[in-house]
Amino acid sequence: MRMLQGLLTRVEGEGEVVLRTENGKMVGVEVRISEAPRFFEYIVRGRRYVDVPDLVSRICGLCGVSYVVTACRAFENCFEIEVPEYEEELRMAVLGAERVKSHVIHVAYLNLPDLIGLGSIGELFESYTHLFQSASKIVLWARKAMEILGGRFHNVVNIRIGGVYSFPSSEKVRALSRDLNEILNDFEGLARFVLGLRSISEEVHKLRYMATACSGSYCWASNKLVLDDGTYFGVESFENYVLTEQVSYSNALRYRLVTGEPYLVGPIARYNNYMKYLREEVRELLEEFGWNRELRGVYQSVVARIAETYNTLLELRDFLSSYRERTVSSPPKVSRVRGPCVAVTEAPRGILYHRYLLDDNLRVRSSNIITPTAQNLACMEYLIEGKLYGSALDSKAVEVAKSLIRCFDPCISCSVHVSRVEIPAGTTRT
Amino acid sequence: MRRAAVAIVKLTSCSGCINEFLYTIASYPELLRSVSIVHATEFQDLNTLEDIDVALVEGSVVTQHQEELVKEVRSRARTLIAIGTCATFGGIQAGRVGEDLRKVILASYPNPDFISALPDVKSLDRVVKVDFNLSGCPVNGDALARLLVKVILGGSEVPIAESVCSECKRVGVLCVMVSRGVPCLGPVTLGGCGAICPRFGRGCYGCYGLNTTVVDGERLARFSEVLEKVGMGRGDLEAFLKYFSFSALTKIRVRE
Ligand code: SF4
Ligand code: SF4
Ligand code: SF4
């Protein structure tokens, strides 16, 4: 297990953070994404809309289900397709299992070492073996859940436009449900440990933020969005609310609000909007540790991840324990497309936006996919600059930049790979 | 017994195959005792890279830098295994090969001048000698774990010649194409997934790549006619083959 732990912190593509200095003082930061682009917007061109979900799933090995679900929802929106309730529940369960996996990996393997602050990951592992074992058990359970409900751990095959392809057998689901009780115990241990840490920083980050908008529930998918100041808008006008920018040093596009301000998406944005809709058990646990309040800065996103994971596990428990095999609906018949096909879904790291324009033969003419990490890039630079501007660039500063970036849980392949801070000689102008 | 040094290398890909591998070995503690993992995601890491017993390489080669990286890895690795369809066939990113590069870039980026890209997307075997090709998008983690054990023990390759259809028969799945007229690429696709899609009541779209040991241009052309009758046109078949079987297409063409 020790090895796994070491690896996960290092499975990454190519990206780096460059801290620029003048006379030894930090004057700027560049989050550079050098991962070779895969040009998905071009690849889906000319394809039948029904094939798109399986293609975009390949964008990301960490949150592929979010891609599949978002693409399906985009076409369901423009074709006005109703998804039968039980099929939607099954899809949301697969999405939930992916979220559990993603959050637990981040909390246990990437964030915890920062929070506990022991010298090396090895040391951390020796001292907290049981925690890592719990984390690994939870992730392996989520993997099993994705396999049973979705077909496999990556590029799930069971989600289609209009619903699912089939309902897995009750017998398999029962086994999953049985194991979940133990997993919940493991998770509670991990959650209590993390929420009780005194090292979660109270540093305040004044940031704009955006999340999907639901009324009366913790929001994972919706056709509305909301900004921190209460501005609501429909997903069809999302692109009017953000500016796209491209910088020469990065292969990932980045986004700001039309005012030019960076904005945050992800756990904090969701938590601060919807914490009152978390389940009672979750709120009680948070209260016990004094976390039933608005989160102040990105260092506290770990609290939101714990809360969201717990809530999701409880929802999965209800779903699995009342599960019944059903007959699937027949694939929707469509003829006319009403406007662009757009949707947003909350991927683990924040809102994922898809827009497709179809031609008369219902093939993709153009598309736009905006990933959560790409939206968070401007925030990363803003926070690092705010914290380090003018200060001496020593190894401590580098650590600060690294740990800030890790709080965003930057996604591996969709847009960015950042977890290494480097100061190339050529960029230090003294 | 000395633990085998296994290196994981990522090229252009989604990390899905590497994740499959990590979680498979996490569920086989015995395997953990016989391997030690070194990692090389970036070129700089190679300076510290020792000799490798087995290199697992995910992703296709799309930059000069990756080409050098993978050659370097090859020179240090006793055995090199290409994992996943990106590494074995080129992967979905090969879908843009042969198109006007500027148009390709413009579809994703407002300013094409900031982006550099090469026209080609190469599977590993076009760059270095590959000892084992284990395709799949993603690769089957269990199959990879079994292969790894075998390689560590000194086994040799048994080429897979099975198609997804054989797996359907084995697990007793009703053929979706025969029973419901759903287009399915299973007959021409490499087995290894356990017929996941037919088991879920849908057609295979070929993510393990073309089974070139049994399919030639002639057969593919005839198969394409069958697919056309159940509603998948030649253009769509060709697109799927480009995404999941790109490097095989230089050898096989769907004949007119
Ligand atoms: S083969 Fe598929 S799952 Fe594996 S890296 Fe490539 S795109 Fe990802
Ligand atoms: S469902 Fe597809 S893979 Fe299975 S037997 Fe039929 S054609 Fe072959
Ligand atoms: S059935 Fe075909 S598309 Fe589905 S997982 Fe297997 S090889 Fe891939």
Side-chain angles (χ1 to χ4, degrees), chain A residues 3 43 47 54 246 251, chain B residues 20 37 108-109 111 202 243:
Chain A
M3 178 211 61
I43 282 165
R47 307 296 15 111
D54 291 322
Q246 188 183 3
N251 282 349
Chain B
E20 286 284 341
I37 306 262
S108 299
Y109 297 95
N111 189 343
R202 62 174 293 186
Y243 299 145

